Amino acid sequence: MEIIIIGLIILFLAMLGEPLFVIIGAIALLAFAGDGQEAGVVIASLSRMADVPALLAIPLFTFAGYILAESKAPKRLLNLSQAMFGVMPGGLSVVALIACALFTAFTGGSGITIVALGGLLFPMLLKEKYSEDYSLGLMTTCGSLGILFPPSLPIILYALIAQQSMQTGAMTFDSSFQIVSINKLFVAGVVPGILLIVMLALYGFFKARKSGMASIPFSGRSILSALRESIWEIPLPFVVVFGIYLGYFTATEAAAITAFYVFVVEVFVYRDLSLFKDVPRVIKESMILVGAILVILGCALALTDYFIFTEVPQQLFQFIQYYVSSPIVFLLLLNLFLLVVGMMMDIFSATMVVVPLITPVAVSYGIDPIHLGIIFLLNLEIGYLTPPVGMNLFISSFRFEKPVIRIYKAVLPFIGIMIITLLLVTYIPDLSLFLVRAFNIQ
């Protein structure tokens, strides 16, 4: 009875907006107490984070993303994308897709992308005679478009949580499924991420051709000017991706290289940020986010330990298997479940709460956890803009001062395209796993 009462209190606090780490930590403490375990079990789970070397990637990539967001890098990236891709029919929509995807990959924040780049791109789209509905839908969609590309923070969190639930679980898996590394996920997300951009770009071409929209005239001078302007930032994504592809460094080492390179370029080369005025503020703001993530992550690991201790994934698998024997049907149901999760929770919360439950179950159906990670992240990308409560919908409504119902209507074609891409990625595992196997990523 005491446990039920405490559980109801926790639920009430969650409805009042209590911080997520408090809710997760309280649930973990309550759950272990119900099994007669001491509170020290939870503390042991928290302290285990210190033994995870890959955890260093989180503050380093977050710092680099905040530096880029505070500098003039978004403007330079936009100019370069426009010079290179604006000549195509519907070229400005491609510019928006690529610029936002790269920006989100480094900043890891959907809201940041809409706020930072929306003010630049939305007026440009309207000026080029794109319809307002299309422009609103495109910008809302672009807000979460880079999650599948390295060095996306959600990829790092998924790898840490999934690896934890695989290593300490009691269920037995195919030996090839044992390693869920950040390196593998960084590589696995590239092809599905590009496929998603291509699918959305084709829709932009269709809209441009249907409306008879003219492309921007080719200008070699503009391309050279944009290249010179961005010459120090262009190598960054290639260094990160190909360095990991070719095995020159790990994801953690890539994070250190990225943070140092971005710091030097934006502070000392471009001088967009002041060393003594801006950098301390950026460090403070970025580390506040990191601190929140680490606290939630520690509590989530404790809850994961409880799930494993009480064999919750095994029981869940047995229950689902009783009704669903086909991996194809399971994946369809999983996608529906994750779309709902993406609507109701932000991507960090969903990763820490849902991944420990679904990973062992999915692997028991023979689904590679790397492939599962891409499915999971792509679902949450779509969930960000799925009515009625997708986060991007309200951010766009606020940023562009439009009724949220108008945003609902604008994003529907984009959601349809993204769901088609999701089904392709779900049922063609090689889209996620081909590069991982080809480059023998560890």
Side-chain angles (χ1 to χ4, degrees):
M1 181 58 68
E2 291 177 352
I3 293 174
I4 293 174
I5 293 172
I6 296 173
L8 291 173
I9 293 172
I10 291 172
L11 179 61
F12 178 69
L13 292 173
M15 294 174 65
L16 291 178
E18 193 69 27
L20 182 65
F21 78 91
V22 174
I23 303 300
I24 296 177
I27 292 172
L29 286 167
L30 177 63
F32 277 113
D35 282 324
Q37 300 292 318
E38 298 291 335
V41 175
V42 176
I43 303 304
S45 299
L46 292 171
S47 64
R48 196 172 62 250
M49 287 199 303
D51 298 325
V52 182
L55 209 61
L56 289 171
I58 294 177
L60 291 170
F61 277 134
T62 304
F63 171 71
Y66 266 72
I67 286 281
L68 288 171
E70 291 288 330
S71 70
K72 296 178 182 176
K75 180 64 175 176
R76 288 189 288 269
L77 174 62
L78 185 57
N79 290 340
L80 177 62
S81 301
Q82 188 172 15
M84 296 182 67
F85 301 103
V87 297
M88 299 183 291
L92 187 56
S93 63
V94 178
V95 169
L97 291 167
I98 293 174
C100 290
L102 291 175
F103 188 72
T104 303
F106 277 94
T107 61
S110 174
I112 295 175
T113 300
I114 294 174
V115 172
L117 292 182
L120 297 172
L121 283 167
F122 187 65
M124 292 173 62
L125 289 164
L126 296 180
K127 184 179 178 181
E128 292 296 321
K129 304 208 180 336
Y130 287 89
S131 71
E132 189 170 73
D133 278 351
Y134 175 81
S135 302
L136 288 170
L138 179 65
M139 291 312 307
T140 305
T141 302
C142 285
S144 56
L145 198 58
I147 289 174
L148 292 179
F149 293 116
S152 166
L153 194 55
I155 291 179
I156 298 172
L157 290 176
Y158 173 88
L160 294 173
I161 296 290
Q163 182 64 20
Q164 175 69 20
S165 36
M166 293 283 290
Q167 285 181 337
T168 56
M171 301 173 77
T172 56
F173 308 118
D174 185 313
S175 60
S176 64
F177 289 171
Q178 292 297 326
I179 299 177
V180 187
S181 71
I182 298 173
N183 292 2
K184 285 184 176 181
L185 280 159
F186 274 178
V187 174
V190 171
V191 172
I194 292 174
L195 174 63
L196 181 58
I197 290 177
V198 169
M199 295 284 282
L200 292 169
L202 289 175
Y203 178 56
F205 293 157
F206 169 78
K207 294 291 288 186
R209 175 166 292 187
K210 185 178 179 181
S211 62
M213 194 178 300
S215 58
I216 300 172
F218 175 80
S219 172
R221 181 176 297 177
S222 296
I223 293 177
L224 289 176
S225 175
L227 285 171
R228 282 196 299 268
E229 187 180 50
S230 307
I231 192 66
W232 290 98
E233 290 157 338
I234 292 170
L236 186 57
F238 298 100
V239 169
V240 172
V241 173
F242 287 104
I244 294 173
Y245 272 7
L246 302 176
Y248 290 127
F249 42 73
T250 65
T252 304
E253 292 165 342
I257 293 168
T258 300
F260 178 75
Y261 185 85
V262 167
F263 171 74
V264 171
V265 167
E266 304 301 340
V267 175
F268 297 106
V269 178
Y270 287 118
R271 298 184 180 180
D272 289 343
L273 300 175
S274 165
L275 177 62
F276 299 107
K277 180 182 177 181
D278 296 317
V279 172
R281 174 178 54 82
V282 170
I283 292 174
K284 177 183 176 182
E285 292 175 357
S286 62
M287 291 310 107
I288 288 173
L289 174 62
V290 171
I293 291 172
L294 293 181
V295 171
I296 298 171
L297 178 59
C299 294
L301 288 177
L303 188 60
T304 300
D305 285 347
Y306 174 76
F307 290 152
I308 293 167
F309 175 73
T310 55
E311 298 185 347
V312 170
Q314 293 93 313
Q315 296 174 39
L316 185 61
F317 172 64
Q318 291 169 5
F319 173 78
I320 295 174
Q321 193 179 43
Y322 181 80
Y323 297 98
V324 179
S325 58
S326 168
I328 295 175
V329 177
F330 169 76
L331 282 171
L332 181 61
L333 295 175
L334 178 65
N335 279 325
L336 293 173
F337 169 70
L338 291 176
L339 285 173
V340 174
V341 169
M343 283 189 284
M344 305 303 295
M345 303 175 69
D346 68 86
I347 197 165
F348 300 123
S349 305
T351 301
M352 295 171 188
V353 174
V354 176
V355 169
L357 290 174
I358 66 169
T359 303
V361 175
V363 171
S364 298
Y365 276 95
I367 299 163
D368 191 296
I370 301 300
H371 179 213
L372 175 67
I374 303 306
I375 294 172
F376 176 83
L377 294 170
L378 184 49
N379 267 289
L380 267 63
E381 273 195 45
I382 300 171
Y384 264 130
L385 58 142
T386 303
V389 290
M391 187 185 300
N392 280 11
L393 301 171
F394 298 97
I395 295 174
S396 283
S397 176
F398 174 78
R399 180 66 183 82
F400 304 119
E401 299 179 349
K402 302 295 179 183
V404 72
I405 299 297
R406 178 81 179 275
I407 308 295
Y408 288 175
K409 177 185 174 184
V411 299
L412 288 179
F414 295 90
I415 292 174
I417 294 168
M418 295 180 80
I419 288 176
I420 293 171
T421 308
L422 172 64
L423 292 174
L424 291 173
V425 170
T426 298
Y427 292 112
I428 308 177
D430 281 343
L431 290 173
S432 303
L433 301 175
F434 170 74
L435 289 178
V436 175
R437 293 167 178 162
F439 287 92
N440 194 27
I441 305 296
Q442 300 299 317

